[in-house]
Amino acid sequence: MNKTKITQRLDCEPNGIAEAGAILRNGGLLAFPTETVYGLGGDATNGLAVAKIYDAKGRPSFNPLIIHVNSFEQAREIAYFNENALVLANAFWPGPLTIVLPRRSDCTVNELALAGLDSIAIRIPSSLVARSIILAAGRPIAAPSANRSGRLSPTRFEDVLEDLDGLIDGIVTGDVAEIGLESTIVSCLATQTVLLRPGGVPREAIEKELGQKLVNPTSASGTGDAPLAPGMLLSHYAPKASVRLDATEVNPGEAVLLFGSNEIKGTENSLFTINLSPTGDLREAAANLFSGLRKLDASGMDVIAVSPIPEIGLGEAINDRLRRAAAPRD
Ligand code: TXA
Ligand code: MG
């Protein structure tokens, strides 16, 4: 990956925070401290900004990201809260707890940030610096930990720069992530609350507030004792239509998902065609992937033919998602 950007160093004073907010509003990438670890933030409502996050992290696949908000009101604008979620938000926000909730039907967060899921993981950080940055940005911020994929989560800005200097637009320095461990993630999608990832808030504290035990992902999934990573629990968005990859020709009655300037033979006969990026830009393609699949699926065609997409950069993650979408289902 080319480290070609000049990464602006910003402080936690009002001017630095205002500049940080401007970077985010303009679709840039900003590393910022939270009480848990440094986050790599981008405008969650901007698909291109979200694609840049995956790109900078070098993630092999699109995992859904945690959406950071500044207030409970802002959280309510994007998700539905059940009784348990309200109890937990009341007890632990702001703080190191992430709650997975059904996303609102009019949720403005881009589908790529949610990896196409109907649920959304939200937290309000207790770090004042983090909250003032989100406030300055004026929109929800998607932020995974600010490390390259497979490396340790950073707690100091020097750690972040080691991985990401030259790959991001700015970094807010001067505040250390005190907890040094990611947030606890619980899912409130069902009546029982599931502990998806242990973290900054201990299980016991959550159970005390809820007045009930947290359910383990293993018992919730009913597959025995094998430990499950949160990512494995997710049933990612699968279109109703079947997906045919590396198509070189379109059959009658197929919808078409194109990339770049490679036309597929017979495309002109299809009623439903979307090009993920006519210029062949993989970030733009990533930003359009889930919405494109949804739209073609809604067309009611039985098959979506997909043109070849290069297996480089974000293309690897795009192809990973498409291969899952194309995998045989029951
Ligand atoms: O402390 C933290 O949570 C830090 C700081 C920056 O806030 N962020 C963080 O993000 O650790 P990340 O991307 O490294 O971890 C996100 C986790 C992933 O394991 C992902 O699978 C899970 O959150 N996740 C996100 N959305 C989800 C959803 N809708 N359902 C289940 N799990 C979800
Ligand atoms: Mg992480």
Side-chain angles (χ1 to χ4, degrees):
M1 165 145 315
N2 291 336
K3 298 199 163 187
T4 50
K5 282 178 190 291
I6 295 181
T7 302
Q8 273 194 72
R9 273 67 166 167
L10 302 165
D11 60 27
C12 317
E13 302 301 318
N15 285 343
I17 300 287
E19 186 53 37
I23 287 176
L24 290 167
R25 275 199 309 281
N26 292 330
L29 294 189
L30 178 86
F32 64 97
T34 83
E35 72 278 18
T36 56
V37 297
Y38 260 78
L40 173 57
D43 177 354
T45 66
N46 176 339
L48 267 182
V50 174
K52 286 189 208 165
I53 295 177
Y54 291 108
D55 208 9
K57 281 203 66 109
R59 285 212 163 164
S61 70
F62 298 134
N63 292 322
L65 304 175
I66 294 177
I67 308 304
H68 297 68
V69 296
N70 164 59
S71 67
F72 184 61
E73 288 66 42
Q74 204 181 11
R76 278 203 120 135
E77 285 170 13
I78 53 180
Y80 298 115
F81 285 73
N82 66 14
E83 204 52 47
N84 283 344
L86 286 176
V87 169
L88 295 181
N90 200 25
F92 297 107
W93 280 356
L97 180 73
T98 296
I99 310 179
V100 176
L101 300 163
R103 67 166 181 163
R104 281 184 66 101
S105 49
D106 57 354
C107 174
T108 53
V109 171
N110 185 272
E111 298 210 52
L112 183 62
L114 309 181
L117 295 172
D118 289 324
S119 59
I120 183 167
I122 306 181
R123 93 179 184 95
I124 306 179
S126 60
S127 155
L128 277 180
V129 172
R131 286 220 305 283
S132 34
I133 291 167
I134 302 165
L135 183 66
R139 57 205 68 192
I141 299 302
S145 47
N147 51 287
R148 297 270 293 165
S149 198
R151 312 236 318 166
L152 287 178
S153 295
T155 52
R156 304 170 315 144
F157 76 84
E158 294 93 333
D159 304 338
V160 178
L161 288 173
E162 215 172 277
D163 270 19
L164 298 175
D165 198 9
L167 290 175
I168 59 178
D169 300 283
I171 179 165
V172 175
T173 63
D175 205 15
V176 172
E178 280 167 25
I179 297 177
L181 180 72
E182 288 95 341
S183 60
T184 302
I185 306 180
V186 293
S187 166
C188 288
L189 295 176
T191 39
Q192 284 180 309
T193 303
V194 182
L195 179 65
L196 292 179
R197 178 177 78 181
V201 178
R203 167 199 287 268
E204 294 77 10
I206 298 172
E207 291 179 339
K208 190 163 169 235
E209 289 296 332
L210 285 179
Q212 53 181 245
K213 291 274 179 210
L214 285 173
V215 178
N216 290 326
T218 42
S219 45
S221 66
T223 54
D225 292 332
L228 275 178
M232 296 174 64
L233 280 177
L234 308 166
S235 67
H236 281 286
Y237 174 70
K240 288 192 263 337
S242 59
V243 174
R244 193 164 67 79
L245 299 179
D246 294 324
T248 50
E249 205 169 342
V250 180
N251 300 318
E254 288 184 334
V256 190
L257 193 64
L258 293 169
F259 173 79
S261 55
N262 308 344
E263 281 296 316
I264 322 184
K265 236 199 299 176
T267 300
E268 62 281 2
N269 299 326
S270 173
L271 294 174
F272 303 99
T273 302
I274 288 179
N275 195 323
L276 292 174
S277 171
T279 59
D281 176 344
L282 287 164
R283 283 178 177 175
E284 184 183 29
N288 292 328
L289 177 64
F290 290 105
S291 58
L293 277 175
R294 262 183 214 268
K295 276 185 208 145
L296 291 181
D297 207 19
S299 74
M301 296 285 112
D302 290 334
V303 179
I304 301 172
V306 184
S307 70
I309 295 173
E311 190 81 8
I312 47 165
L314 280 187
E316 199 180 334
I318 295 173
N319 284 321
D320 168 75
R321 273 292 167 269
L322 285 169
R323 276 192 288 271
R324 285 167 199 259
R329 292 167 240 144
D330 302 330

